[in-house]
Amino acid sequence: MDATSSTWIYKRDARVSRPTEDILWNRDGINYLLPEIQLLHKAPGLRPKDQADFEACLPLLNAAGRRWLRSALDVAHPGHPWLNEL
């Protein structure tokens, strides 16, 4: 993960970034990357397991997560097939 103390930067396209404090969620004291961040990292490969993860996560993404992922894909991976589903 590329990040400073205040900003996470997508390693494949520095135009996509987010405040570091906004890339994690916590459950039972454990921090996890937000699903939209994980999906962005999986997007270039489009392996069957990445597609399965996208399909599993899509109904769980809130509106803000969907908007952010759509915007990040538009910038870093224009024309990506997931854009049609977001």
Side-chain angles (χ1 to χ4, degrees):
M1 176 170 66
D2 294 336
T4 67
S5 61
S6 62
T7 305
W8 165 83
I9 302 162
Y10 180 45
K11 66 182 179 180
R12 291 186 176 97
D13 193 321
R15 297 175 296 169
V16 178
S17 64
R18 244 175 127 157
T20 305
E21 64 190 30
D22 293 345
I23 65 168
L24 301 173
W25 62 280
N26 184 292
R27 182 169 185 162
D28 299 326
I30 300 170
N31 287 326
Y32 300 91
L33 278 176
L34 288 170
E36 57 266 31
I37 303 288
Q38 284 285 23
L39 289 171
L40 180 62
H41 284 287
K42 291 173 156 286
L46 277 180
R47 301 168 297 183
K49 67 180 183 175
D50 300 328
Q51 183 64 36
D53 288 345
F54 175 75
E55 291 168 8
C57 287
L58 186 60
L60 304 174
L61 288 177
N62 62 25
R66 284 175 180 247
R67 278 191 308 272
W68 184 88
L69 182 56
R70 185 181 311 112
S71 174
L73 287 171
D74 268 337
V75 170
H77 306 290
H80 194 282
W82 293 350
L83 288 167
N84 295 330
E85 298 182 55
L86 290 166

